[in-house]
Amino acid sequence: QEAVRYLETKNVEALFLVGGSELNLAFAKEGLVNELTLIVQPSVIGQGAALFSPADFSLKLSLKDTDRLESDRIRLRYSVVK
């Protein structure tokens, strides 16, 4: 929240969070995530990087928009229901 307060003093109205699973979890648990964008790749893998670190929390999402991208990828945009 300290980082968000600092950015507000600089008149920043939107922040695009690109971080690891721990950073994503910290912002989500504090209620600081308003929107979530996921890109779906047309492949299946057995392991990989987690979007959020393991924790007891949940986000209720509402589908906002979808886009078909090149290489058969799909972008899903969700609003976080608060």
Side-chain angles (χ1 to χ4, degrees):
Q1 286 183 335
E2 180 181 334
V4 172
R5 284 192 299 273
Y6 171 78
L7 292 170
E8 288 172 342
T9 68
K10 301 297 181 189
N11 296 321
V12 173
E13 295 181 11
L15 178 65
F16 188 71
L17 180 64
V18 179
S21 60
E22 290 182 28
L23 182 63
N24 295 341
L25 176 65
F27 273 73
K29 286 181 83 171
E30 291 295 324
L32 299 173
V33 176
N34 297 319
E35 187 174 302
L36 183 67
T37 300
L38 301 172
I39 307 285
V40 178
Q41 298 280 85
S43 59
V44 176
I45 57 174
Q47 60 184 1
L51 187 58
F52 296 98
S53 290
D56 185 20
F57 91 105
S58 65
L59 291 176
K60 182 162 175 60
L61 305 174
S62 174
L63 185 61
K64 189 174 180 179
D65 192 23
T66 62
D67 294 303
R68 186 178 180 134
L69 307 173
E70 58 188 53
S71 301
D72 290 332
R73 296 178 304 148
I74 298 171
R75 177 176 35 228
L76 304 169
R77 290 181 55 216
Y78 291 94
S79 293
V80 175
V81 177
K82 299 202 178 192

